[in-house]
Amino acid sequence: MRLRIFQVDAFTDRVFGGNPAAVCPLDSWLDDATMQAIAYENNLSETAFFVPAKGAYALRWFTPLAEVDLCGHATLASAHVVFHHVLPDADAVAFDTRSGRLDVVRGDDGLTMDFPALAAHPLDPPPADLAAGLGLEPIAAFGDMDYLALLETEAQVRAIEPDMTALARLDERRGIIVTAPGESADFVSRFFSPRMGVPEDPVTGSAHCMLAPFWAERLGKTTLRAYQASARGGTVHCTVAGERVRLTGSAVQYFEGTITV
């Protein structure tokens, strides 16, 4: 069987920046083992698969090791593929996912995704492996889908050299966010998920479902500019609207091809 595949760099306006995601449009679902094997072979943070559904597309995301409940950059990449290769005249697309209906709108400033807002619940005390894995004690720790470690400065976020073995022992949540106030953005972050086969994710849209409300409350503003300070780096524009978060970013296609499975 030959399948179309695209690789799209998300949350960037140039190739080799942002976060690369693979996207496979399908007419019908492959079996789960095959989709997981494709994701493992791609060896990217996520591979997305979507199939036509009534008035929308059903969308699923796989890391190299597991299917996940929510992914931002691969949703952005999937919308880019829809707008450029499936529905070129459309300005909006809806995806049905494990996290409910996710709408994406195409505008002059990029693609805007409507995602659920996640609360940051204080963890007191934080798990010991969090500080051990980061190599420093955070000011405070929080949790929801991921752990969130609050640091004092952007320089601390950039300087972290994590102990992936220690972080992988944090098995109750998907990954670990580290964040601090930004120097040229409202806040900065990095994201680690070794347990899911993603040691460091370059730009994690879904992490901003917790980051955006977290910083909106602290900064007293609902529109924020975020920067994920990985080696590739990427900007996420965030708007907090009650129980939803709108995440805006750009995307650039790197390649289009076929795979044989």
Side-chain angles (χ1 to χ4, degrees), residues 20-226:
V23 180
C24 290
L26 303 172
D27 294 325
S28 59
W29 291 122
L30 306 173
D31 63 88
D32 289 4
T34 299
M35 289 190 287
Q36 186 63 72
I38 292 170
Y40 184 83
E41 186 78 7
N42 289 337
N43 198 32
L44 298 171
S45 296
E46 262 90 13
T47 296
F49 302 88
F50 64 79
V51 301
K54 185 177 295 186
Y57 292 92
L59 174 65
R60 296 171 69 182
W61 314 277
F62 292 79
T63 77
L65 297 183
E67 185 172 6
V68 295
D69 292 335
L70 186 63
C71 178
H73 85 282
T75 302
L76 194 74
S78 296
H80 180 90
V81 169
V82 170
F83 291 139
H84 287 81
H85 299 281
V86 183
L87 299 173
D89 295 327
D91 291 323
V93 60
F95 294 110
D96 289 327
T97 75
R98 284 185 171 189
S99 293
R101 174 66 62 94
L102 306 177
D103 295 311
V104 186
V105 177
R106 174 162 53 175
D108 294 337
D109 297 328
L111 305 180
T112 298
M113 306 183 293
D114 182 71
F115 271 35
L118 301 178
H121 305 287
L123 300 177
D124 189 18
D129 283 324
L130 183 61
L134 298 178
L136 79 172
E137 195 73 41
I139 296 172
F142 305 83
D144 192 274
M145 181 169 62
D146 303 305
Y147 292 100
L148 187 154
L150 176 63
L151 306 185
E152 291 186 9
T153 67
E154 178 175 326
Q156 287 181 314
V157 171
R158 291 180 177 273
I160 285 176
E161 297 181 3
D163 179 340
M164 293 297 176
T165 300
L167 292 184
R169 290 197 293 264
L170 296 165
D171 60 359
E172 294 181 6
R173 305 176 197 273
R174 182 187 64 167
I176 300 93
I177 305 164
V178 292
T179 188
E183 296 172 3
S184 58
D186 290 303
F187 63 90
V188 297
S189 67
R190 289 172 68 189
F191 184 87
F192 310 105
S193 187
R195 191 172 64 86
M196 304 298 287
V198 185
E200 180 166 5
D201 195 36
V203 192
T204 315
S206 58
H208 292 74
C209 293
M210 182 159 58
L211 283 165
F214 178 85
W215 284 108
E217 180 179 353
R218 279 155 181 76
L219 299 177
K221 54 195 296 187
T222 57
T223 300
L224 307 105
R225 180 177 179 272

